Amino acid sequence: MTSHEQALVSLFSQLALSFDGAVLGLALAYTAVRSVLKLTANSAALDKLCAAPNLSVSDLRSLLDSSDSDGNSQNKLVIVRGTVEAKSSVESGWKSLRPGVLVSNESGDSAVAIERSQTCIYTEWKGFFGWTSDIRALFVRNLRQQESSSLRTVPFVLIDGGRRSHADYAIVNLEGSRHPLPLTTVYHKLQPTNASPYTFLQALFGNQYPVGILDEEKILPLGKDVYAVGICYYRNGIAEIKSCKELPYFLSELNKDQMIVELTFKSKVLFWSGIILGSLSIGILGYAFMRNWNKWKQWRQQREAQQQRQVNHDDAEFENLVNEMDDVPDGQLCVICLMRRRRSVFIPCGHLVCCQGCAVSVERNVAPKCPVCRQEIRNSVRIFES
């Protein structure tokens, strides 16, 4: 596990366990909802795939002609088995003089699609100061692209395999398709990179540095038998197949039965994962809700008890204040407010001339002085009668 992955796992574990697992429960609930949505889309794709006719390229014209005679739309979802062939080989006229194919640089095979990719492999050693990479991985993303790929395609068609005549063919339309192509690997080589003087410093401080480049080339060769799952329609009198976004397949090496088996297995996995994850999320969210509810009630009780103690303290203070204001002789009244009994003695002069509240007010002055002798005071002490 790389340093970036370790830092992410540590961060996600702390987030998941926060709020007594409420975040983990929400994440599981989100995953369960995603599983249900994927199950719905997968089930719809499975129904469409089961209803789609499985035929050859030569049967497309009769199928589309019969649907047109019934008054239905010519666009129809079909599963067509055929052989990959260059479009120039079936065209007539001056266009057929152009080769219209791609040639692999490594194997020399003719193809209609070539994908060349280079993957940079980095070291996972953290070095002597590898802990810095965990902190850096949280805030700094690696701006260097670790994988670069290029895909070149040319127009191609599907024909019936083993036939010399190309009277019946179907054009494959790749526009807007994000489905993977059934490519064949023809070149695979790992080339080590030369170390530089800067590499030692990178390794010392735990920075990742490249150790090799994986060069691959994949092609879609001519003459390969594939199955096309898509919308078939006529354009200028020629059958054309376009991918369907609702289906996970377009060009594949799997036949109809294998596709149905694979989608059925995925549907079962999504169904049970939705049930299991949904049950876990409900349990974790219920546990987190009860825990936080009990904590909130405990905090509320503590706050009410604290407020009650504060009210009792204020009542006691008010009662003492009232007692100090009742029946106080003139000689014992505070010289400042003339309402409460003298209770505080100023230090160091020792005069008992103020109540506690007025003594505190005198102490808060910038230059506190005794109201009788005008001597500077440091603090005051309350006197209690036994």
Side-chain angles (χ1 to χ4, degrees), residues 239-278:
E240 190 167 334
I241 301 176
K242 189 174 183 179
S243 64
C244 181
K245 296 181 180 180
E246 289 78 14
L247 296 179
Y249 305 104
F250 179 35
L251 296 179
S252 175
E253 298 176 348
L254 304 177
N255 55 29
K256 180 178 180 179
D257 296 335
Q258 292 174 340
M259 293 179 189
I260 292 176
V261 170
E262 189 174 88
L263 284 180
T264 304
F265 176 75
K266 289 182 179 179
S267 299
K268 291 181 180 179
V269 172
L270 291 173
F271 175 77
W272 287 110
S273 63
I275 292 179
I276 295 174
L277 293 177

Side-chain angles (χ1 to χ4, degrees), residues 304-347:
E304 290 178 353
Q306 183 178 4
Q307 291 178 352
Q308 186 64 31
R309 288 195 298 268
Q310 184 66 29
V311 170
N312 295 335
H313 178 72
D314 294 341
D315 293 341
E317 289 291 335
F318 180 75
E319 184 177 357
N320 293 333
L321 183 61
V322 172
N323 293 333
E324 290 182 356
M325 295 176 61
D326 292 341
D327 300 332
V328 180
D330 293 340
Q332 297 183 6
L333 285 175
C334 175
V335 297
I336 296 178
C337 66
L338 300 176
M339 295 177 60
R340 292 181 290 271
R341 188 184 299 271
R342 301 177 183 180
R343 291 293 189 185
S344 297
V345 175
F346 290 117
I347 296 176

Side-chain angles (χ1 to χ4, degrees), residues 25 40 42 44 70 73 85-86 94 114 120-121 133 144 153 163 168 176 204 211 233 257 276-277 300 324 341 348-349:
T40 304
N42 206 37
D70 295 338
S73 175
E85 186 61 55
W94 63 272
I114 297 179
C120 189
I121 301 176
S133 60
R144 293 173 296 178
T153 60
R163 290 191 177 185
D168 294 327
L204 181 63
V211 295
Y233 54 92
D257 296 335
I276 295 174
L277 293 177
R300 186 177 179 181
E324 290 182 356
R341 188 184 299 271
C349 66

Side-chain angles (χ1 to χ4, degrees), residues 40-107:
T40 304
N42 206 37
S43 301
L46 183 60
D47 294 338
K48 291 182 179 181
L49 197 62
C50 292
N54 188 9
L55 38 81
S56 61
V57 177
S58 58
D59 299 331
L60 285 177
R61 185 175 298 275
S62 60
L63 177 66
L64 296 178
D65 291 341
S66 62
S67 62
D68 187 28
S69 62
D70 295 338
N72 298 328
S73 175
Q74 290 186 351
N75 297 346
K76 192 173 181 62
L77 180 64
V78 295
I79 302 175
V80 182
R81 60 181 184 276
T83 304
V84 177
E85 186 61 55
K87 187 178 180 182
S88 59
S89 64
V90 298
E91 290 179 339
S92 60
W94 63 272
K95 292 183 179 180
S96 60
L97 299 177
R98 297 182 300 175
V101 295
L102 302 175
V103 179
S104 172
N105 296 328
E106 304 299 336
S107 63

